[in-house]
Amino acid sequence: MTSADTSALLTVRNVSMHFGGLKALNDVSFDVIKGEVLSLIGPNGAGKTTMLKIASGAQAPTTGKIAYKGTQIIGLSADRINRLGIGRTFQAAEIFDTMTVRENVMTGAVAREAGSVASSLLYWGRAKQRVEKLRQIADEALDLVGLGDMADLPAQDLPTGQQRLLGFARIFATGAELLLLDEPGGGLNAVEKTRLIETIRRLRDLGRTVILVEHDMSVIAQVSDRIVVLDQGLKISEGTPEKVKSDPKVIEAYLGTSASTVAPKPQKDQPAFRPVEMEVVDLTVTYGQTVAVDNVSLKLRTGEILTILGANGAGKSSLLKAIAGLEKPAGGTIKLRDKHIAGIPPDKIAALGLCLTPEGRALFPSLSVADNLALGRYVSLKRKRGLLGILALRQEDRDEIDAKREEIYQLFPILKERANQKAGTLSGGQGQMLAIGRSLMNDPSILMLDEPSLGLAPQVIDEILHKLEHLREQGLTLILVEQNASAALRIADRGYVFSSGRISMQGPAQDLLEDPSIRDAYLGGDDANTQTLRVNATQ
Amino acid sequence: MSDLLQLIISGLMVGSIYGLIGIGFTTIYNVTGIVNFAQGDLAMIGAILAITFYGLSLPLALAILLSVICVGVLAAIIERLAIRPLGNSVMRGIIVTIGVGSILQGVAISGWGTQAYSLPAFTSGGPIPVLGATILPQTFWILGTTVVLMVGLYLFFTRSYLGKAFRACAINSFAAQIIGIRLNNIRVLGFVLSGFFGAIAGIIVAPIALTQFDSGVAIGIKGFVACIIGGFGNPIGAALGGLILGIIEALSSGYLSSGFKNAIAFVMLIGFLVWKPTGILGELEK
Amino acid sequence: MTLHDFRYPAAILALIICYFFGDTYFISLLVIIALHSMAAIGLSLLSGYAGQISLGHAAFYGIGAYTSALIALHIGITPWITIPMSAVIAGIVAWAVGPIMFRLKGHHLAMATLAFGIIVHVALVEMRGITGGPNGMGGIPPLSFFGTPLLFDEDIFPLVWGVVIVMILLSENLIRSPHGFTLRAVGAREHVVPTLGSDTNKSKCLVLIISAVFAAIAGAIYGHYIGYLSPGPFSTTFSVKLLVMVAIGGFSRIWGVVLGVIFVTFLSEWLKPFGNVELLFYGALLIFTMIYCPNGLLSQLGVVASNAARNLRQRTPS
């Protein structure tokens, strides 16, 4: 706040950002010291990207101040902030795909070297010199990130990892001193990550300051000078990587509370003897050139809760989406009982009794709770009556919906109280119950839940987990994708741990719960070898 | 006073047509993200088909019904052949629907030439005097049809299961897929509804305004203006916007110059786009 | 060395051949093509490179035509001066309208530009006292060269194509200049541009002004060449036709756009004997181009042709 601390390049003071009732950032303050790599970490929804957006001028905070070299930057336009010296990259590479690699980087330097319009139109000597200058800046930046050889290729031909590096070169070429990098490691393979780490180190060696938002803890561990940890909009820890990694508050934020009232599940029955309900073999899911799920094979047995754990970006959601038919797999098979379902459209998969309750709930906020539930029965009604048949429902169909809805109300009584309210007015926990209820309306045989605990208070999480156990007792098979590992493992029968799109560990939930190395999957392992060994041991 | 009443009545009548066209825009836009620049041309085709069927000595009601169905099918074909393969680019979407409009006009020219046609009034009888103004019987048909269609659409969206599924797609297409709604079904439904509304708008106005191959262009654009005034994507907004636009146009042609009447809609369009882009009622509630 | 390196000499050579060997009808078509090309090149910068759709570009063509004609008629200045004056006026209009328009994006921008075009058209029709309204205005003085009025197609041909070549040159310069990088970046991913320190609105307004100037010059020359103006040619239909030409030429390809203009103009000439099928044909062509040839019909045909040629070459030796 004061200019006494001359080493602080950027000072963030009491920044809050409210979206309606949600506090994406809550009174966050920290300093960025010139020449350091500061990592901003935290579980999903912690507010990291919001922080970057505010610091780069893409959004204005609700309250708070940010000063860069003593200049207040809140309220300035994004291009103005960049010219002051703050550059930002995006989660996606966001390259200009109509240009070559070099032209992309030259565009980054234009604001420094534009010149007059007349000289641009006539392309006289001055303009030529300027373009030559841009070219030099671009080539230097490309050499820095190691793309010098590819300068003349169309930028869209580069693989994802190199597109990210291109984004760095572009932002470097603007001359920005403070670089805000938003998840540069997402979707990169090991070799590309090594190059990423080298590049970030080189940027620091050249005197640039970096704020890094990243989910891959191994990257964070290797490049950070300091770390700031956010959780649900609050700063919960700050310090060196070692200090932060051993901070109990950080561990709890990542792995979930250990004070859960859900009792660990006794190993009473052996799920291994149950029939296989669904089998995934060598499944691969890609987005463009990014591999999200890499040759994954797993089995789901009837009547079990299978949990899939892993850090953000490990490929858990992509796996569920591929099973639900929302993403076409690039390879592999998915067998539901004896039917191959990979690549089948989502409505047909829903009709087979395989339902997804997606991350973020995906409700219809302006429809009532009762209507949201009723729509959960769309597939079977449409199959039975056809598109025109559901224009006006028959009495028997209405009775069927009412009966089914009554079952859901018994499971979640609060929904009955709220039946005529719009879904958008529900609290987070009620919304999650509605999302689960909507899936159950379709009489699923397998229910897949993606991050049901996200953003919920511990008691609410416990309540929902209890209901899931109850559903299992009634014969439902569940797949539970969770960041809150300790809570998930308490109710699960078996678990798989994902990292970088692959299965790094698997086993009975009880074993995983007691395994210390699971922490590494979330908070970054010091040596990856232990994980590999464990995979071998369990196979 | 009677002049004012006369102007307001004719404004309401024209405004109803704009509103119906505007609703056609919203049913497509909400589920596809496409602004259908051929919307007015669907109305023109509807009118011309009804006139032709009537000319084949079908009863008027049957001719109208047949024409509305044909335009609905036509809209579904347009979705399948021109819109679905397109992907997600605004510029290409606009150009393709302009292309569709051009084809529809071309078809009209090839089949019916450039001359103007008219449909007989739905009921015979001369103008009815009301409080010093005179009202054509067709005016009642236009206003009545509009009211019935609006109420019908409202009931469809709020009462019918299919209507709720349609809204679900407009609110969140990803969530709609999750519950097993096939988006392509609903997209086709959006086009068919849009075709119905367009055709009916074209047909009910045909007895009082001549229809020719390019009649659709002007009412199409005015229908869009109606959407912007009321709040884009919001069907009630489109209807309200249509009525407001119709009345303002009628008043300005009555009290100002009739020539500049044509510019008023567009001045309003730019004004709303720039200073109140969500329109009077706001965009569709998600 | 490819044809690309010799594109200017090749184009000029082709024009000279056309000039000396083409008949009057052919030459008159080429004059129209040149005028449309000027406007289309500007629109290609705006809609192709910078990605900002315009459905009202005919307005600038009309503003150019009417202001130049009116100044020449009423003040009696030579068209050689009134044409640049009209270009400046159109540029000022663009400068004033741009910041309002570019608060909008996508469909909204399309509709606002459409509305702008219609408003200007209505103004041309309704300001009877000045423009002559729907009846139009005649007696516009022609351009003259050392006392010889440029009345005939052959006379105006070198001038209009000279202007087209200059505009192509300017546009190509702009594209490879620093400003060009920014406007192409705006067309590719607009939201990234501010993070690189450039103001997107400034860039968009700049290219709108340039394209307005190009269109105004075309309109102004048109007025002095025809000698008579009525609002008809400056309607939305012409705006759409320009966009069609740009789309078929491949949006962001300056030379391709000129080929697009040539293609569309000749096509509509060839279709004339078949009656009113023009609209039908345009529509089908547009849809086909947008779905199957997003980089332009002609460049796609070029790709197909070169692939076929390669196949043929590979097959012959074996």
Side-chain angles (χ1 to χ4, degrees):
Chain A
M1 194 179 284
T2 57
S3 53
D5 186 6
T6 46
S7 63
L9 190 62
L10 187 81
T11 56
V12 177
R13 287 293 172 272
N14 310 104
V15 169
S16 295
M17 182 79 192
H18 300 178
F19 298 107
L22 178 78
K23 288 181 180 165
L25 287 173
N26 197 354
D27 206 27
V28 174
S29 302
F30 60 89
D31 286 347
V32 184
I33 296 159
K34 192 168 164 46
E36 73 172 344
V37 176
L38 176 82
S39 291
L40 209 52
I41 66 168
N44 232 341
K48 301 161 302 213
T49 296
T50 308
M51 193 72 219
L52 288 198
K53 281 186 182 163
I54 291 172
S56 63
Q59 272 175 1
T62 314
T63 55
K65 289 182 174 174
I66 299 182
Y68 175 74
K69 291 184 172 173
T71 312
Q72 283 300 326
I73 61 166
I74 302 294
L76 300 184
S77 66
D79 53 302
R80 194 60 218 293
I81 289 178
N82 176 270
R83 291 198 295 275
L84 282 174
I86 301 179
R88 171 201 172 190
T89 67
F90 294 82
Q91 281 182 10
E94 307 278 5
I95 49 133
F96 303 125
D97 35 21
T98 50
M99 301 185 186
T100 66
V101 169
R102 182 185 287 119
E103 286 172 337
N104 261 274
V105 185
M106 288 168 80
T107 308
V110 163
R112 289 201 269 168
E113 289 289 336
S116 76
V117 178
S119 76
S120 285
L121 282 171
L122 299 170
Y123 213 66
W124 277 330
R126 295 275 292 283
K128 267 190 188 159
Q129 285 166 21
R130 285 205 181 87
V131 171
E132 202 42 52
K133 181 87 187 293
L134 290 183
R135 214 183 151 88
Q136 273 175 25
I137 296 175
D139 285 347
E140 275 167 36
L142 284 171
D143 285 339
L144 176 81
V145 300
L147 291 177
D149 301 340
M150 302 174 185
D152 293 312
L153 290 181
Q156 58 181 352
D157 290 355
L158 295 188
T160 314
Q162 296 185 341
Q163 289 190 355
R164 287 272 162 68
L165 295 175
L166 176 56
F168 286 12
R170 193 171 64 184
I171 212 72
F172 183 81
T174 65
E177 271 182 68
L178 173 63
L179 308 176
L180 316 179
L181 309 181
D182 197 355
E183 295 198 23
L188 302 196
N189 62 34
V191 180
E192 290 169 333
K193 272 184 184 159
T194 315
R195 272 182 85 177
L196 172 74
I197 291 165
E198 282 167 14
T199 308
I200 293 176
R201 284 182 177 154
R202 216 173 297 154
L203 288 171
R204 182 182 51 189
D205 295 343
L206 286 167
R208 306 287 171 109
T209 310
V210 175
I211 301 183
L212 175 66
V213 166
E214 178 55 57
H215 283 298
D216 186 329
M217 290 298 163
S218 63
V219 174
I220 294 282
Q222 290 181 64
V223 299
S224 308
D225 296 309
R226 286 192 313 131
I227 295 179
V228 167
V229 189
L230 298 177
D231 183 30
Q232 302 199 16
L234 283 167
K235 183 173 93 172
I236 58 167
S237 184
E238 179 175 6
T240 61
E242 293 71 33
K243 185 189 154 206
V244 164
K245 201 178 158 187
S246 54
D247 186 335
K249 273 201 255 173
V250 177
I251 295 169
E252 191 183 312
Y254 270 87
L255 293 176
T257 162
S258 47
S260 170
T261 60
V262 181
K265 195 182 130 57
Q267 304 287 100
K268 53 183 181 206
D269 48 3
Q270 288 299 321
F273 297 120
R274 295 194 180 160
V276 173
E277 182 89 357
M278 181 167 69
E279 186 171 12
V280 174
V281 180
D282 294 334
L283 189 74
T284 300
V285 181
T286 56
Y287 301 99
Q289 292 167 332
T290 310
V291 180
V293 177
D294 190 2
N295 258 314
V296 162
S297 302
L298 51 82
K299 282 183 184 144
L300 177 68
R301 294 180 186 280
T302 308
E304 72 173 346
I305 297 183
L306 178 70
T307 185
I308 295 173
L309 309 170
N312 225 327
K316 300 164 297 182
S317 296
S318 303
L319 171 76
L320 293 198
K321 282 185 185 165
I323 295 174
L326 296 161
E327 296 290 344
K328 240 190 161 73
T333 57
I334 306 169
K335 217 163 88 178
L336 178 67
R337 292 174 288 266
D338 10 279
K339 196 171 159 62
H340 284 282
I341 60 164
I344 288 181
D347 54 307
K348 293 216 168 121
I349 289 184
L352 291 170
L354 190 52
C355 285
L356 172 66
T357 309
E359 183 181 346
R361 341 229 198 276
L363 299 171
F364 305 113
S366 59
L367 297 183
S368 72
V369 169
D371 283 344
N372 266 276
L373 287 175
L375 282 172
R377 215 148 168 85
Y378 180 87
V379 182
S380 67
L381 286 172
K382 154 121 200 282
R383 297 228 135 192
K384 204 158 36 162
R385 306 283 180 223
L387 205 56
L388 289 180
I390 56 174
L391 190 59
L393 289 183
R394 300 182 191 184
Q395 193 55 46
E396 51 183 295
D397 294 335
R398 276 189 219 153
D399 293 343
E400 187 184 296
I401 289 178
D402 284 340
K404 201 69 210 158
R405 206 154 38 190
E406 205 49 49
E407 285 176 32
I408 307 297
Y409 289 153
Q410 287 194 348
L411 190 66
F412 299 117
I414 186 76
L415 294 182
K416 185 164 195 174
E417 287 172 37
R418 303 267 186 269
N420 294 317
Q421 258 173 256
K422 284 184 177 173
T425 63
L426 296 183
S427 71
Q430 292 162 359
Q432 188 60 53
M433 292 172 196
L434 178 56
I436 294 172
R438 193 181 60 188
S439 296
L440 293 174
M441 287 291 287
N442 188 32
D443 294 323
S445 61
I446 300 175
L447 178 61
M448 301 188 284
L449 297 127
D450 196 354
E451 304 279 6
S453 75
L454 195 67
L456 301 184
Q459 314 87 286
V460 184
I461 297 177
D462 282 351
E463 188 184 345
I464 288 176
L465 293 182
H466 278 303
K467 301 290 184 192
L468 297 183
E469 285 191 297
H470 175 71
L471 289 171
R472 172 181 53 191
E473 276 153 29
Q474 294 183 334
L476 190 64
T477 310
L478 293 107
I479 302 180
L480 179 59
V481 160
E482 259 302 337
Q483 274 210 322
N484 192 335
S486 45
L489 287 173
R490 268 160 211 284
I491 63 160
D493 299 284
R494 291 189 304 126
Y496 291 91
V497 181
F498 272 49
S499 61
S500 301
R502 298 181 183 193
I503 295 172
S504 60
M505 278 194 273
Q506 56 179 302
Q510 195 66 36
D511 297 1
L512 290 177
L513 193 58
E514 287 155 10
D515 193 322
S517 63
I518 194 161
R519 214 182 79 182
D520 296 337
Y522 283 80
L523 290 176
D526 290 325
D527 54 338
N529 294 337
T530 28
Q531 292 180 21
T532 330
L533 281 175
R534 282 208 58 86
V535 174
N536 293 340
T538 46
Q539 271 171 355
Chain B
M1 194 58 214
S2 62
D3 281 356
L4 181 65
L5 185 67
Q6 188 79 56
L7 288 173
I8 287 180
I9 287 169
S10 77
L12 282 176
M13 185 181 73
V14 178
S16 305
I17 303 298
Y18 296 162
L20 292 179
I21 299 283
I23 289 174
F25 274 107
T26 67
T27 61
I28 290 182
Y29 178 78
N30 282 336
V31 288
T32 63
I34 294 268
V35 171
N36 178 20
F37 277 66
Q39 193 60 38
D41 300 308
L42 287 175
M44 175 274 295
I45 293 284
I48 282 203
L49 283 180
I51 290 163
T52 307
F53 291 141
Y54 183 70
L56 297 173
S57 56
L58 289 180
L60 186 59
L62 186 62
I64 291 172
L65 183 69
L66 212 55
S67 152
V68 171
I69 292 172
C70 285
V71 175
V73 172
L74 177 67
I77 294 172
I78 290 170
E79 194 280 334
R80 187 68 196 83
L81 294 185
I83 308 297
R84 202 180 292 178
L86 199 61
N88 234 343
S89 150
V90 170
M91 179 115 63
R92 284 164 64 199
I94 290 171
I95 294 177
V96 160
T97 56
I98 287 175
V100 169
S102 178
I103 288 185
L104 295 180
Q105 289 174 34
V107 168
I109 284 195
S110 313
W112 289 271
T114 52
Q115 61 268 50
Y117 297 86
S118 126
L119 199 63
F122 294 178
T123 41
S124 52
I128 304 156
V130 176
L131 297 174
T134 52
I135 303 174
L136 289 171
Q138 187 64 23
T139 307
F140 291 110
W141 277 104
I142 292 178
L143 296 177
T145 311
T146 306
V147 169
V148 168
L149 283 181
M150 305 269 178
V151 171
L153 189 71
Y154 179 78
L155 291 177
F156 172 69
F157 280 138
T158 55
R159 296 291 160 82
S160 88
Y161 194 77
L162 184 60
K164 285 173 190 167
F166 189 92
R167 274 167 75 199
C169 281
I171 294 167
N172 184 341
S173 60
F174 171 74
Q177 272 184 296
I178 296 273
I179 58 172
I181 296 178
R182 194 177 294 187
L183 296 186
N184 283 341
N185 283 338
I186 303 293
R187 289 168 63 105
V188 171
L189 179 65
F191 269 83
V192 170
L193 275 179
S194 170
F196 285 168
F197 274 80
I200 292 172
I203 291 167
I204 57 178
V205 79
I208 54 170
L210 296 174
T211 304
Q212 64 206 38
F213 76 100
D214 60 354
S215 307
V217 179
I219 57 170
I221 298 176
K222 300 277 176 69
F224 182 86
V225 179
C227 287
I228 293 291
I229 293 175
F232 204 71
N234 184 336
I236 303 170
L240 178 71
L243 294 178
I244 291 175
L245 179 62
I247 290 174
I248 289 180
E249 273 197 352
L251 292 180
S252 61
S253 73
Y255 294 112
L256 303 168
S257 123
S258 68
F260 276 106
K261 176 197 100 175
N262 285 322
I264 279 185
F266 301 104
V267 173
M268 285 177 74
L269 173 66
I270 292 184
F272 267 95
L273 280 175
V274 173
W275 287 287
K276 187 125 178 54
T278 54
I280 294 173
L281 293 187
E283 300 191 351
L284 184 78
E285 190 186 357
K286 297 259 166 165
Chain C
M1 288 287 147
T2 61
L3 181 63
H4 192 253
D5 297 317
F6 296 105
R7 57 199 189 280
Y8 287 98
I12 291 168
L13 187 69
L15 286 169
I16 291 173
I17 293 171
C18 291
Y19 184 65
F20 286 106
F21 295 98
D23 58 7
T24 319
Y25 167 71
F26 187 65
I27 295 287
S28 72
L29 272 187
L30 284 180
V31 169
I32 293 297
I33 287 171
L35 292 171
H36 288 180
S37 292
M38 296 177 202
I41 290 167
L43 187 60
S44 154
L45 292 175
L46 179 67
S47 296
Y49 287 95
Q52 307 302 308
I53 194 166
S54 169
L55 291 175
H57 220 58
F60 294 114
Y61 194 71
I63 288 171
Y66 273 88
T67 51
S68 181
L70 285 169
I71 298 171
L73 265 176
H74 295 296
I75 309 183
I77 311 175
T78 161
W80 292 111
I81 296 178
T82 63
I83 292 173
M85 282 169 80
S86 74
V88 170
I89 291 170
I92 291 172
V93 172
W95 170 81
V97 178
I100 301 173
M101 291 290 177
F102 291 131
R103 291 168 69 165
L104 306 168
K105 288 187 172 67
H107 295 119
H108 290 168
L109 179 66
M111 280 299 178
T113 53
L114 180 73
F116 170 70
I118 293 175
I119 290 170
V120 169
H121 187 252
V122 169
L124 293 181
V125 175
E126 293 303 321
M127 298 194 323
R128 289 161 215 267
I130 307 171
T131 63
N135 297 328
M137 53 192 268
I140 301 165
L143 280 155
S144 60
F145 191 66
F146 290 111
T148 321
L150 306 179
L151 283 174
F152 297 103
D153 301 321
E154 290 82 3
D155 304 331
I156 201 107
F157 181 90
L159 172 74
V160 289
W161 278 102
V163 173
V164 170
I165 298 282
V166 170
M167 284 183 179
I168 294 176
L169 196 65
L170 291 177
S171 302
E172 290 202 326
N173 284 344
L174 182 72
I175 293 309
R176 61 183 169 154
S177 78
H179 288 96
F181 284 115
T182 311
L183 72 93
R184 286 162 69 195
V186 168
R189 279 179 206 272
E190 191 180 332
H191 63 284
V192 177
V193 175
T195 69
L196 303 177
S198 301
D199 185 340
T200 50
N201 273 342
K202 237 179 174 171
S203 189
K204 291 185 207 168
C205 287
L206 170 73
V207 69
L208 178 68
I209 291 170
I210 292 172
S211 68
V213 165
F214 282 11
I217 291 173
I221 297 177
Y222 168 81
H224 295 289
Y225 157 64
I226 300 285
Y228 162 83
L229 287 177
S230 70
F234 308 105
S235 68
T236 306
T237 314
F238 184 58
S239 295
V240 171
K241 197 168 179 185
L242 280 177
L243 198 62
V244 171
M245 291 165 170
V246 172
I248 286 176
F251 281 116
S252 45
R253 283 174 169 74
I254 298 286
W255 289 90
V257 165
V258 177
L259 292 177
V261 176
I262 295 172
F263 181 79
V264 171
T265 309
F266 276 100
L267 191 70
S268 46
E269 286 300 311
W270 287 329
L271 288 175
K272 265 185 187 158
F274 301 102
N276 287 316
V277 294
E278 200 182 334
L279 278 170
L280 205 63
F281 209 82
Y282 272 148
L285 200 62
L286 263 188
I287 295 174
F288 180 82
T289 305
M290 284 302 105
I291 294 175
Y292 298 104
C293 323
N295 294 323
L297 181 67
L298 299 175
S299 72
Q300 192 69 29
L301 289 180
V303 170
V304 171
S306 73
N307 284 349
R310 197 184 314 136
N311 287 344
L312 208 64
R313 233 176 295 147
Q314 280 168 351
R315 215 172 298 160
T316 343
S318 57

